[in-house]
Amino acid sequence: MSKVILVTGAGRGLGTDIAREALAAGHQVVATGRRPEEVEKALGGPQDNLLVTRLDVTSLEDAEAAAQAAVDRFGRIDVLINNAGNLFTGYFEEISPAQMRRQFETNVFGPMNVTRAVLPVLRKQRAGHVITITSTAGLVGMEFTSAYAASKFAEEGWMESLRHDVEPYNIHTTVVEPGYFRTELLVDGSTIWPELSIEDYAPRTAPRIEGMKSMNGRQPGDPAKLARALLTIAGQDKPLERFVAGADAIGAAEAKAKELLAQAEASRELGDNLAYDDTTV
């Protein structure tokens, strides 16, 4: 059944694939980006089922205007796909405080802005679906990605809690944790290198940067297949609450689950008996 789908970051990468696949499947698409002309060009020009509108996710005003434009054009919003994001890399001490704040502005407060603007529409309808793209880095912290992982862990916690907030209004949520997909995340503009330089880290920083640059275009995941999988989830009566996307991501999630269980068990001797003596658990 045709849905009205609002996609952020639709000018390139996975966002373009999502919008393109949604149009091909017969959906009505609100494709947003900071440069609408580039979004429209990426999607092949004007189309009856396509609304292109400007949206810088760090602006709540932009988000509210985009939500209103969607309702004005199509009458409703069925699915919000929070896709826009970027990647600040580096060892923690080499990421400036300003860079860390910019990472959170885009990856955390950005999707919060858009969701905040769309939720009143979904509540009024008593129906809707919020899908937020996080990352395997939202499950597993890795070297050289402390800012990115911190932002994605924050998105995960927000989405897990949001599910309980909106469930009474027949609004579904799905958090998506992709592994390595051949998107444009690793190109300049989407990936930002550390501003600071500390001699102790220098022998490790340069090889890390070169390794990440060399990975671009060689990631195993096909973003068009991921886009089609997201549309399948959007069409489910009871959508997946978490979608671990890609064999590499599934392997990482399984390893993290085992690690958490082992850490919980290792904590038992010290952690089980920390209540007041007169408390019954």
Side-chain angles (χ1 to χ4, degrees):
M1 188 170 64
S2 176
K3 293 179 179 289
V4 178
I5 301 176
L6 192 157
V7 184
T8 68
R12 61 178 181 171
L14 178 60
T16 300
D17 283 296
I18 294 170
R20 186 182 294 126
E21 293 292 337
L23 288 167
H27 298 292
Q28 295 167 311
V29 175
V30 183
T32 73
R34 288 178 297 172
R35 290 174 285 275
E37 64 282 357
E38 294 184 9
V39 175
E40 187 169 89
K41 182 179 178 181
L43 296 174
Q47 301 169 52
D48 290 342
N49 280 350
L50 173 64
L51 170 64
V52 174
T53 187
R54 184 185 189 281
L55 173 54
D56 178 342
V57 297
T58 64
S59 165
L60 180 57
E61 292 76 15
D62 274 11
E64 290 171 341
Q68 187 61 54
V71 173
D72 290 345
R73 173 70 176 272
F74 297 122
R76 60 186 295 113
I77 300 170
D78 297 303
V79 182
L80 165 62
I81 301 181
N82 287 310
N83 163 76
N86 57 15
L87 166 61
F88 281 78
T89 65
Y91 294 108
F92 172 69
E93 286 186 279
E94 294 191 319
I95 299 168
S96 71
Q99 284 186 310
M100 184 67 78
R101 289 183 183 277
R102 292 203 299 274
Q103 179 74 100
F104 272 72
E105 284 294 340
T106 299
N107 285 7
V108 181
F109 296 114
M112 286 183 175
N113 283 336
V114 184
T115 304
R116 191 180 297 277
V118 169
L119 278 177
V121 179
L122 305 189
R123 281 192 292 103
K124 185 178 180 180
Q125 296 168 175
R126 287 300 194 261
H129 190 179
V130 178
I131 299 174
T132 297
I133 313 293
T134 68
S135 170
T136 305
L139 290 175
V140 183
M142 294 172 281
E143 184 179 359
F144 210 66
T145 60
S146 61
Y148 184 67
S151 72
K152 292 301 180 179
F153 267 74
E155 275 189 293
E156 293 270 335
W158 164 57
M159 284 295 292
E160 283 200 10
S161 296
L162 180 66
R163 172 171 67 89
H164 301 287
D165 292 356
V166 300
E167 206 169 33
Y169 313 113
N170 195 35
I171 300 170
H172 302 286
T173 66
T174 299
V175 62
V176 181
E177 296 147 351
Y180 288 106
F181 279 80
R182 205 168 298 177
T183 65
E184 297 184 32
L185 184 62
L186 293 178
V187 302
D188 289 340
S190 291
T191 294
I192 299 93
W193 310 110
E195 285 183 337
L196 308 179
S197 179
I198 296 174
E199 186 177 351
D200 252 359
Y201 292 103
R204 298 164 64 196
T205 295
R208 278 281 167 185
I209 291 175
E210 289 309 309
M212 293 184 75
K213 287 182 175 180
S214 68
M215 189 187 302
N216 186 44
R218 297 169 54 198
Q219 302 98 317
D222 181 343
K225 289 183 178 180
L226 175 54
R228 290 193 289 272
L230 295 179
L231 294 176
T232 296
I233 292 169
Q236 293 173 333
D237 291 334
K238 292 185 177 180
L240 291 174
E241 293 172 3
R242 167 172 278 106
F243 177 43
V244 186
D248 55 342
I250 291 171
E254 289 174 334
K256 181 59 180 274
K258 291 176 182 177
E259 182 182 24
L260 283 172
L261 287 171
Q263 290 170 342
E265 185 57 38
S267 301
R268 192 178 302 279
E269 184 176 353
L270 282 175
D272 248 358
N273 299 300
L274 298 179
Y276 286 103
D277 291 340
D278 60 353
T279 299
T280 301
V281 178

